Amino acid sequence: MSPSLPSGLLGDLDPTSDRAVFRQIADQLREAIGRGRFREGEKLPSEAELVDHYGVSRMTVSNSFSVLIGEGLVHAEHGKGVFVRPRPPVRRLASDRFARRHREEGKSAFLVEADAAGGHPQVDSLEVKEEKADPDVSARLGSLRRVLARRRRYLLDGRPVEFATSYLPLDIARGTQIAEPNPGPGGIYARLEELGHHLDHFEEEIRARMPTPAEVKTLHLAAGVPVIHLVRTAFDVEGRAVEVCDTVMAADAYVLSYQLPAT
C-alpha cells in the first residue's frame, strides 16, 4: 500500500477544469513550495505518494515533476527523489561594491558581495591570456585589436554562481601584475589605480536570457534556470575605458539591490 500524505498538505484535483491534470498537480506543488510547506533542499512527495493521493498514473505525476524541473524550481536526484532547489541569496551592492575603500582594504567586488551574503567565496577555472578582441569589446575599448583576457569562475559556498571575463588594453596590462593569475589584494581595479588609472565611473548593461549549453555546464544550472548577462565598462578619470567585464550569473543565485538617492 502506498504511503499517504499528511492531511491538508495538498489539495484535490478539479474534474471540471480544462487545465490538464498534470498541470493541476504541478500548480499545487508550486503553491505548496511558495507557501513554505516544502522548504529549500526538502524532498517532495514521492511518485507513489502522489499517485495514491490524486488517483492518477505515474506518468501523470512524472509530467508534473517535469514542469517544475523545467521552471528551475526543483531538481531530481537519481534514485533519491525530487527536491526543492536551494536559492542562496547573494546581494549585489550596486552603489557600493566598487567603492575605493574596499580596494584599499584589499577586497575585490566579489569579496564585498560574499561578505554581505555571509558566504565563503572561491575563484577557480582561471585563465589569463592575450587574444584578439571581438568587435564589441574592441569598440568599447577604443577600437583595439588585441587585449589581455582574464577568465574566472566564482563560487559561493562551493556552488558556481558567476563566470566573468575581463578584457584590458595591452598597453596597460602587459607585463604588470594584472597579467598574473593572482593580481593581488583588491583585484585588477586596485592594480589599475596603482598604475595611474584612477577609476571614475562604471557603466553596466544588464539583461536576462536563457543560458548557452556551455554556460549550463560551467554554472551547473538546472533545467529552466535563466542567467543574468552583465557587461560592465570601467572608465578612468581621463575618460578612457580601461576594462570591459563580461559576466554571466545564475539568475537564482542573486538578489539585485540598488541604493537610490532620495532627491
Side-chain angles (χ1 to χ4, degrees):
M1 179 183 242
S2 299
S4 60
L5 297 178
S7 176
L9 184 64
L10 295 171
D12 298 319
L13 299 175
D14 181 359
T16 66
S17 174
D18 59 1
R19 188 162 177 78
V21 169
F22 76 93
R23 294 195 182 278
Q24 290 189 50
I25 296 173
D27 292 343
Q28 292 193 14
L29 289 170
R30 187 188 304 106
E31 181 181 3
I33 293 170
R35 291 179 177 274
R37 294 174 183 169
F38 302 110
R39 301 185 181 278
E40 294 181 7
E42 188 174 344
K43 183 180 177 182
L44 293 184
S46 68
E47 282 191 358
E49 289 174 313
L50 293 174
V51 165
D52 180 68
H53 177 77
Y54 290 112
V56 297
S57 68
R58 282 186 176 270
M59 180 61 71
T60 298
V61 172
S62 178
N63 289 340
S64 302
F65 284 154
S66 294
V67 170
L68 300 180
I69 291 171
E71 294 174 355
L73 191 59
V74 303
H75 70 280
E77 295 185 15
H78 183 68
K80 295 182 179 180
V82 178
F83 297 81
V84 179
R85 294 195 72 237
R87 298 173 180 267
V90 179
R91 187 167 295 277
R92 297 182 63 83
L93 305 177
S95 64
D96 177 73
R97 68 189 191 277
F98 297 123
R100 182 169 285 108
R101 70 178 184 278
H102 297 312
R103 295 192 290 278
E104 292 173 347
E105 294 171 356
K107 292 182 179 181
S108 66
F110 185 70
L111 287 180
V112 174
E113 294 164 354
D115 285 349
H120 173 64
Q122 293 174 273
V123 178
D124 71 355
S125 303
L126 182 65
E127 177 188 58
V128 184
K129 67 175 184 177
E130 294 183 11
E131 64 185 37
K132 181 179 179 180
D134 70 30
D136 180 67
V137 169
S138 176
R140 292 172 187 269
L141 289 176
S143 300
L144 298 182
R145 297 182 63 183
R146 294 185 64 78
V147 293
L148 178 77
R150 296 182 54 90
R151 294 182 173 86
R152 64 275 189 199
R153 184 175 66 168
Y154 295 100
L155 297 85
L156 189 70
D157 295 330
R159 177 192 173 189
V161 295
E162 180 176 327
F163 186 82
T165 304
S166 288
Y167 301 96
L168 300 105
L170 290 181
D171 67 300
I172 294 176
R174 178 183 276 169
T176 72
Q177 195 171 353
I178 295 172
E180 300 296 325
N182 182 359
I188 61 175
Y189 291 154
R191 304 291 82 75
L192 283 169
E193 295 203 316
E194 289 173 355
L195 292 168
H197 296 276
H198 297 284
L199 299 176
D200 179 73
H201 68 280
F202 302 87
E203 294 180 359
E204 292 189 339
E205 301 170 19
I206 185 169
R207 66 189 178 100
R209 59 171 172 78
M210 296 309 296
T212 66
E215 290 164 350
V216 169
K217 182 177 180 180
T218 298
L219 295 175
H220 300 179
L221 298 174
V225 175
V227 293
I228 297 170
H229 185 193
L230 183 149
V231 179
R232 180 178 63 250
T233 306
F235 295 86
D236 66 13
V237 294
E238 302 298 325
R240 181 182 180 183
V242 294
E243 183 235 17
V244 171
C245 186
D246 189 303
T247 304
V248 177
M249 300 169 276
D252 65 344
Y254 281 88
V255 175
L256 298 181
S257 176
Y258 289 85
Q259 298 175 12
L260 301 175
T263 58

